[in-house]
Amino acid sequence: MNKSMRVLTHIIVWIAILLLFMFMGSNGKIVHKTVVVFVYFGLINITIFYINYLFILPTFLNRKKYLWCAIVILFLVLIASFVKCGLAYYYYDIIIKRDSGKHIMAFWDYFMSAAFVSCLFIFLSAVLKFVTDWFLNEKIKSNLENEKLISELAFLKSQINPHFLFNSLNNIYSLAYQKSEKTPEAILKLSEIMRYMLYESNEDKVALADEIRYLENYIELQKLRFKDNSYIKFDITGEVGAQKITPLVLISFVENAFKHGVATDKDVPISILLNIEPGKIFFRTINKKSNQNKDETGGIGLQNVRRRLDLLYKDNYELHIQDKNDIYNCELYLNL
């Protein structure tokens, strides 16, 4: 709610309260007595309310000057009570006496009653101040947490690109070193992959079909590295439809399978399975472990993707990793 709307809301609420009391006090007819009691004294109480709400509490509580805050509030209550008593005796016949003309209370009793009402409005303004500050602090806290998450996600995503690019360039270097005729094709595949990473994956969610095409391009790029000696199975079951997924989540599992696995064993090929159901997917990679491909950086890819899943999907995913003697198996259950 912007400032103008807040001011308008306050005005409408106070007018409604005054009109309500005027109506109740006059039995449906607005008379002089009602105007004096509920407008003059209502304006004094409203003034007390906002002096405390807008000036005293922000000035002293924010600086943790609690004693001075109490002193100033006490002074405000005393001044307001004396003003009310002065007006009461100025309108003696209207306020101090009832319609019967009998005396209601002594000056001191009326002063204490006025002070009590003033304290009530001080209390109400303090409640509103604390509640408003609480909601404001919660909003600020939430915004800071969101900004932190966005920054962390941006950092994690920025790690994906150079990590993937580093591995892909190594593959292309291997082809070029072997003077393979497939080097231009590999460069073209890498170009398509980088285009997707740079331009199409900037959204929070992308079409699942686009993510699958990205995985297929990556797998084709890996096959070029192994020439005709690669054994890779990529099976997709279910209907893709118009479902969406966070970009670059699945690639880390595939990349890990190639980087740490054996792609040239006909008996134990790299197996990649994507099972699609309405609103959820099951993704699995199985690979035979290689003793030659050790990642000296400590497995940045899977650590990265696990953290991204925690941030983006929270309780909407399950990740199971089985690291056996010869086989490495990753299974991801993800609610889209």
Side-chain angles (χ1 to χ4, degrees), residues 129-165:
K129 176 65 176 174
F130 292 140
V131 170
T132 302
D133 287 351
W134 184 84
F135 277 106
L136 180 61
N137 290 334
E138 286 297 309
K139 184 177 180 181
I140 292 173
K141 181 181 177 181
S142 177
N143 290 338
L144 289 175
E145 289 178 352
N146 288 337
E147 290 177 3
K148 180 181 178 181
L149 290 179
I150 291 172
S151 299
E152 185 173 357
L153 283 170
F155 173 72
L156 292 172
K157 191 174 179 181
S158 71
Q159 284 187 315
I160 293 174
N161 293 358
H163 188 57
F164 167 78
L165 181 60

Side-chain angles (χ1 to χ4, degrees), residues 12-183:
I12 292 174
V13 169
W14 286 119
I15 291 177
I17 292 174
L18 289 176
L19 290 176
L20 176 63
F21 279 104
M22 287 170 63
F23 179 80
M24 293 172 59
S26 60
N27 295 322
K29 298 179 181 180
I30 300 178
V31 295
H32 186 211
K33 176 181 177 180
T34 307
V35 173
V36 170
V37 174
F38 293 108
V39 174
Y40 287 0
F41 286 84
L43 292 177
I44 293 174
N45 289 325
I46 292 173
T47 301
I48 294 171
F49 183 96
Y50 283 107
I51 288 176
N52 186 54
Y53 178 73
L54 296 176
F55 299 103
I56 296 177
L57 294 180
T59 300
F60 295 100
L61 287 188
N62 291 347
R63 299 176 183 176
K64 297 183 179 180
K65 296 182 177 180
Y66 305 118
L67 179 60
W68 277 105
C69 181
I71 293 173
V72 174
I73 288 176
L74 178 62
F75 183 74
L76 175 62
V77 170
L78 293 175
I79 293 297
S81 300
F82 277 115
V83 170
K84 289 179 181 179
C85 287
L87 284 174
Y89 277 85
Y90 182 79
Y91 294 102
Y92 184 86
D93 293 334
I94 297 175
I95 299 174
I96 301 299
K97 290 184 178 180
R98 294 184 183 272
D99 294 336
S100 62
K102 295 181 180 180
H103 193 75
I104 295 180
M105 59 181 69
F107 175 86
W108 179 251
D109 293 332
Y110 191 85
F111 178 86
M112 293 300 295
S113 176
F116 173 79
V117 174
S118 298
C119 289
L120 176 61
F121 278 83
I122 290 289
F123 172 76
L124 292 176
S125 64
V127 170
L128 179 62
K129 176 65 176 174
F130 292 140
V131 170
T132 302
D133 287 351
W134 184 84
F135 277 106
L136 180 61
N137 290 334
E138 286 297 309
K139 184 177 180 181
I140 292 173
K141 181 181 177 181
S142 177
N143 290 338
L144 289 175
E145 289 178 352
N146 288 337
E147 290 177 3
K148 180 181 178 181
L149 290 179
I150 291 172
S151 299
E152 185 173 357
L153 283 170
F155 173 72
L156 292 172
K157 191 174 179 181
S158 71
Q159 284 187 315
I160 293 174
N161 293 358
H163 188 57
F164 167 78
L165 181 60
F166 175 78
N167 291 333
S168 298
L169 288 176
N170 274 344
N171 297 340
I172 295 176
Y173 169 78
S174 176
L175 290 174
Y177 183 79
Q178 298 170 13
K179 298 181 180 180
S180 172
E181 296 179 354
K182 295 183 178 181
T183 303

Side-chain angles (χ1 to χ4, degrees), residues 10 25 33 39 44 49 53 58 61 71 103 139 158 171 181 212 223-224 232 236 240 282 287 302-303 317 322:
H10 280 242
K33 176 181 177 180
V39 174
I44 293 174
F49 183 96
Y53 178 73
L61 287 188
I71 293 173
H103 193 75
K139 184 177 180 181
S158 71
N171 297 340
E181 296 179 354
I212 292 173
K223 287 181 178 179
L224 292 175
I232 303 161
I236 302 174
V240 177
F282 168 67
N287 63 272
L302 290 184
Q303 294 178 15
Y317 85 95
Q322 297 178 350

Side-chain angles (χ1 to χ4, degrees), residues 188-218:
L188 181 61
K189 287 291 182 183
L190 179 60
S191 175
E192 293 176 357
I193 289 173
M194 295 304 296
R195 185 183 300 111
Y196 174 80
M197 296 174 70
L198 291 174
Y199 300 110
E200 298 183 39
S201 65
N202 289 326
E203 302 294 329
D204 293 335
K205 294 289 182 70
V206 297
L208 180 58
D210 292 339
E211 189 75 2
I212 292 173
R213 188 160 49 249
Y214 166 64
L215 294 178
E216 290 172 337
N217 284 333
Y218 177 84

